[in-house]
Amino acid sequence: MQGDRSPPTINNCPIDIYEDAIAARRYAFVTWAEPTAWDSKEGTVSVTLGGSNRPGDPFFEGSTNIGYYAKDKSGNMATCNFVIHINVVRCAVLATNIPDGYRICHPSSDMVKGTVCRYGCYQGHDLKGPSRSECTETGDWSIVQEPYCESAITIQNF
């Protein structure tokens, strides 16, 4: 008598997933429908997720390999693998300083999508231009040119 040599069939294996990170973060929460498996001798067999990443978990910038396997009672195994790719959209780093003024950005460590920068001037100076800029989903700042500070004191000739 011949033993079972045919592995189960895994159905609905996800294809690679590409997501942008959520605003002002370096990760995204990713979900997918988990695959199922069928064996010609046993019918439905369980599918096991290898590793600790589960649907709905946060996935960080870069690529994460996800693997499932299904094994029948005879030890025949089938696998399902896909990759989750998380892209972090970033804007160019802004000029190093605002003469006679300041820029405060949050989050300040990285100019990722959703970063908001606010501008202001020191006493005796007026802000010329917008007081706020945001890193957009296209990787561009919401303003074309940064504002500048201009002296509010006028010198009169005598």
Side-chain angles (χ1 to χ4, degrees), residues 2 15 27 48 62 64 71 73 103 110 132-133 142 144:
Q2 183 126 358
I15 59 171
Y27 61 86
T48 303
T64 303
K71 189 185 279 189
K73 291 178 183 171
R103 173 192 331 98
D110 201 358
R132 180 184 185 279
S133 181
S142 60
V144 176

Side-chain angles (χ1 to χ4, degrees), residues 73-120:
K73 291 178 183 171
S74 298
N76 302 307
M77 187 167 72
T79 60
C80 157
N81 297 289
F82 61 99
V83 181
I84 295 175
H85 304 272
I86 303 299
N87 177 52
V88 176
V89 176
R90 288 183 170 82
C91 287
V93 175
L94 298 165
T96 55
N97 61 26
I98 305 289
D100 301 315
Y102 56 89
R103 173 192 331 98
I104 299 172
C105 300
H106 181 76
S108 61
S109 63
D110 201 358
M111 300 300 173
V112 298
K113 173 183 75 176
T115 296
V116 174
C117 295
R118 297 190 188 283
Y119 299 88

Side-chain angles (χ1 to χ4, degrees), residues 11-15 17 30-36 55 68 80 82:
N11 302 304
N12 304 316
C13 183
I15 59 171
I17 299 171
V30 181
T31 61
W32 61 89
E34 295 190 276
T36 58
Y68 285 89
C80 157
F82 61 99

